[in-house]
Amino acid sequence: MRFPSKEIVENLRKEYKVGSIVELVEMEDPQAPPIGTKGKVRGVDDTGSIMVAWENGSRLNVVYGEDTCRIISKND
């Protein structure tokens, strides 16, 4: 797996601000929340993974380049 550049990570942090609400679109993990699960962004780590507190209690990250989520509500 290739890690994103610092610029990409900074852009992700600007887009996925702490407190924003996201919806899971795709995650290839047997422990993944169901597609469509919503959660609150807790931050973006140095590998570009979006850290989410999912509404079902899961804390699995949305892995950069592997998983997909979409923003429902931005925390500006």
Side-chain angles (χ1 to χ4, degrees), residues 1-5 46-47 64:
M1 178 179 172
R2 192 167 217 184
F3 292 113
S5 67
D46 290 340
T47 67
Y64 178 79

Side-chain angles (χ1 to χ4, degrees), residues 16-22 39-44 50-53:
Y16 293 92
K17 293 183 180 177
V18 173
S20 296
I21 305 299
V22 295
K40 187 178 283 190
V41 174
R42 298 183 298 125
V44 175
I50 303 163
M51 300 177 292
V52 180

Side-chain angles (χ1 to χ4, degrees), residues 29-74:
D29 187 307
Q31 301 298 317
I35 300 304
T37 301
K38 293 175 182 62
K40 187 178 283 190
V41 174
R42 298 183 298 125
V44 175
D45 69 16
D46 290 340
T47 67
S49 291
I50 303 163
M51 300 177 292
V52 180
W54 298 105
E55 64 187 1
N56 69 346
S58 174
R59 296 271 194 245
L60 282 179
N61 294 347
V62 178
V63 177
Y64 178 79
E66 298 291 325
D67 305 324
T68 309
C69 68
R70 67 183 185 98
I71 297 172
I72 301 293
S73 170
K74 287 190 176 191

